Amino acid sequence: MVLYVKYYLKGVYDLRNLFLFFILTCLFLTAGCVKNDNLLPDDSIKEQTLKIGVIGQSPAVTETNIVFTETTFEKLSNATDTDFVALFIMPEKLEEASHGQYAKLYKSVKYPVFFIGSTKSYYPFTEETLTYSNAPSTHSGMYATGMIYEDGQIKIFEYGLKNGEKTEENLKGLYTNIFKTIINEFVLRKTN
């Protein structure tokens, strides 16, 4: 009887090893088949040339394939939706950007608008009665807010600085994250 139990246990052990080998082999073979649309390889941002309109001083970025085109609110009213893939409004222009007449403009463009340095989210730019100076601060710790109107709804993207510190390195990292959002959410989606 002892021999029978040992043989039976040896058979279970072999069967368990075979099953484990089969499962691990399947996992190994299918590991590369998973696609995650939310992740970008680090080099993929270098493959796309992005033409971004900017109102204010163009930011310093590490990417060489970003083309900033300085524009004004007046020119923007006459621009076509294919002129840019996005628009940056820099900190020194946030007050002007909050004037009520531009709220309709932000709702009509087909690309995202990013308010850089805004501590007040997107509210002063979409509410015609608010201005940047009289809008309440959100105290969220975010440094940039992007928005786009799609299908009658507003889609928001917010970005903070690493450790809440405004350094040159952290600003460049913030811009890289914005560029990845532009590629993932707008450029690649249009081509698919």
Side-chain angles (χ1 to χ4, degrees):
M1 181 145 175
V2 173
L3 293 175
Y4 177 72
V5 172
K6 283 185 180 179
Y7 180 74
Y8 176 74
L9 289 176
K10 185 176 186 285
V12 169
Y13 180 72
D14 289 341
L15 186 61
R16 194 172 44 190
N17 281 344
L18 183 62
F19 181 72
L20 183 62
F21 175 76
F22 177 74
I23 295 296
L24 289 175
T25 302
C26 288
L27 286 174
F28 178 74
L29 292 175
T30 60
C33 298
V34 176
K35 181 180 177 188
N36 187 342
D37 291 332
N38 295 325
L39 299 176
L40 275 176
D42 290 337
D43 291 338
S44 69
I45 196 167
K46 297 174 185 173
E47 297 171 5
Q48 298 282 335
T49 298
L50 301 178
K51 185 176 179 184
I52 298 174
V54 63
I55 297 178
Q57 178 85 23
S58 296
V61 299
T62 56
E63 292 78 11
T64 58
N65 60 322
I66 305 299
V67 177
F68 287 110
T69 303
E70 291 187 18
T71 189
T72 64
F73 289 106
E74 294 76 29
K75 289 180 187 176
L76 198 59
S77 301
N78 300 323
T80 65
D81 286 336
T82 58
D83 287 348
F84 311 119
V85 295
L87 174 68
F88 282 14
I89 299 177
M90 301 309 289
E92 67 274 13
K93 295 295 183 174
L94 293 176
E95 184 65 39
E96 183 180 357
S98 68
H99 293 173
Q101 74 238 29
Y102 301 125
K104 291 178 185 170
L105 177 69
Y106 307 135
K107 293 177 183 178
S108 68
V109 294
K110 303 292 185 221
Y111 48 80
V113 179
F114 293 89
F115 302 98
I116 308 299
S118 175
T119 59
K120 301 180 181 193
S121 193
Y122 65 94
Y123 302 115
F125 311 106
T126 58
E127 299 296 324
E128 294 181 30
T129 58
L130 283 178
T131 63
Y132 191 75
S133 58
N134 68 16
S137 181
T138 62
H139 302 289
S140 66
M142 295 295 111
Y143 185 78
T145 299
M147 61 170 265
I148 188 169
Y149 275 89
E150 292 182 324
D151 302 321
Q153 295 185 349
I154 189 169
K155 191 172 188 179
I156 302 298
F157 305 90
E158 292 189 310
Y159 306 86
L161 294 169
K162 184 177 179 183
N163 299 324
E165 297 175 7
K166 186 178 172 184
T167 65
E168 184 178 334
E169 181 181 334
N170 288 349
L171 284 170
K172 288 180 180 179
L174 176 127
Y175 291 122
T176 297
N177 288 334
I178 292 174
F179 301 146
K180 287 180 181 181
T181 298
I182 294 168
I183 290 172
N184 275 337
E185 296 290 327
F186 304 101
V187 175
L188 293 178
R189 194 171 68 180
K190 285 182 181 179
T191 59
N192 291 335

